[in-house]
Amino acid sequence: MANERLRAALLERGVSISELATAIQVDPKTVERWITKGRAPYRKHRYAVATHLGIDESYLWPEALTREQVASASESEIVTVYPHRWAVPRDAWGRLFAQAQDEIGILVYSGLFLADDAGIVRMLGEKAAAGVRVRILLGDPDSPEVAQRGADEGIDDGMAAKIRNVLVLYRPIRDLDEVEIRLHRTVLYNSIYRGDDQMLVNTHVYGVPAGNAPVLHLRKVLGGDMVTTYVESFERVWKQATPVGS
């Protein structure tokens, strides 16, 4: 059976079979067989292809890795676990965004602690000016989901008020070409803060403010699927969110 995922990945990235073959040092006919006959390459070649195309090895060849290999790689994606968000060192947030070269993503209800940090906001603006795509998802302050979260945390209308405050705090960067801010109406189980292949995931616990909930520091490892799971969740929320001002 043909490997349509690999074929589509090449087309989406504008990479020809011969270009991929040259990049990973194999014969073009070998790459052609991987696509047309669905043959799975050796692990070193799967790794090289996934790295060159920026796609998970397990996505291109889902049957090539055993459950044990996926589980082991996924476990390796956990850098550290913080018992509370307030226990995350301040410079960890700065490093997460400062090291990003392609993509910064923030998915929260308000994330006031970040927006209230002038240094972080300035850094986001500088990254956007350097060509890094910055996407920020905030809860829609008029949505029932935000109202429920406010009630769960015991602050009621305070959650919506925090979001409106955050929109004001982000004004200095809202008009930058690479900055996009959208409002979502989603029940969040986690807040996600992404810088390229790293992320801080703040779990949500019923009745507990996000600042008191645990945080996972994750870094993408080829073959693992934890980071991919959260990235896909971010993208699903992004697609159904509404741009600010529309």
Side-chain angles (χ1 to χ4, degrees):
M1 183 179 295
N3 190 329
E4 296 300 336
R5 291 185 176 184
L6 179 55
R7 190 197 307 276
L10 291 173
L11 291 172
E12 289 170 1
R13 285 155 179 75
V15 177
S16 68
I17 288 176
S18 60
E19 288 170 341
L20 177 61
T22 298
I24 65 173
Q25 299 181 338
V26 298
D27 190 284
K29 292 182 179 179
T30 299
V31 177
E32 184 71 36
R33 285 193 291 271
W34 294 344
I35 296 173
T36 60
K37 298 184 181 299
R39 294 181 181 175
Y42 291 120
R43 181 71 191 273
K44 67 176 182 178
H45 290 143
R46 297 200 306 267
Y47 180 90
V49 171
T51 300
H52 186 73
L53 297 179
I55 297 179
D56 290 336
E57 174 188 356
S58 57
Y59 172 78
L60 293 173
W61 294 283
E63 305 301 326
L65 297 178
T66 66
R67 291 183 179 180
E68 291 75 16
Q69 287 175 317
V70 173
S72 177
S74 298
E75 183 177 348
S76 297
E77 292 184 316
I78 304 174
V79 178
T80 191
V81 178
Y82 299 98
H84 311 284
R85 193 184 69 200
W86 55 259
V88 180
R90 182 183 180 279
D91 63 350
W93 302 98
R95 286 197 305 272
L96 177 71
F97 300 132
Q99 294 173 2
Q101 299 297 312
D102 300 305
E103 173 91 18
I104 290 174
I106 298 171
L107 169 58
V108 292
Y109 274 130
S110 73
L112 179 59
F113 76 101
L114 276 187
D116 200 32
D117 188 325
I120 292 291
V121 175
R122 182 168 58 251
M123 181 189 298
L124 294 177
E126 291 171 349
K127 282 294 179 179
V132 176
R133 187 184 188 191
V134 178
R135 293 188 291 168
I136 301 172
L137 279 160
L138 303 173
D140 185 334
D142 297 319
S143 68
E145 291 79 13
V146 165
Q148 185 62 55
R149 182 62 186 179
D152 293 344
E153 290 193 6
I155 61 175
D156 297 323
D157 293 340
M159 180 60 70
K162 288 201 296 184
I163 295 169
R164 293 188 174 94
N165 189 16
V166 167
L167 286 168
V168 173
L169 292 170
Y170 279 139
R171 274 181 184 167
I173 64 173
R174 279 169 56 174
D175 293 331
L176 297 177
D177 289 341
E178 294 296 329
V179 175
E180 302 171 82
I181 301 178
R182 294 185 181 183
L183 301 178
H184 68 85
R185 290 171 167 254
T186 308
V187 177
L188 285 188
Y189 302 101
N190 303 275
S191 293
I192 299 173
Y193 308 86
R194 178 189 177 193
D196 289 343
D197 64 349
Q198 292 194 70
M199 58 176 56
L200 292 168
V201 178
N202 188 182
T203 64
H204 288 189
V205 181
Y206 179 75
V208 176
N212 285 338
V215 172
L216 308 176
H217 181 184
L218 307 177
R219 181 194 293 269
K220 180 62 185 171
V221 172
L222 284 173
D225 59 7
M226 285 188 67
V227 170
T228 299
T229 296
Y230 287 112
V231 169
E232 291 174 349
S233 177
F234 182 100
E235 295 299 338
R236 283 194 290 270
V237 178
W238 182 260
K239 288 179 180 179
Q240 64 185 14
T242 304
V244 170
S246 65

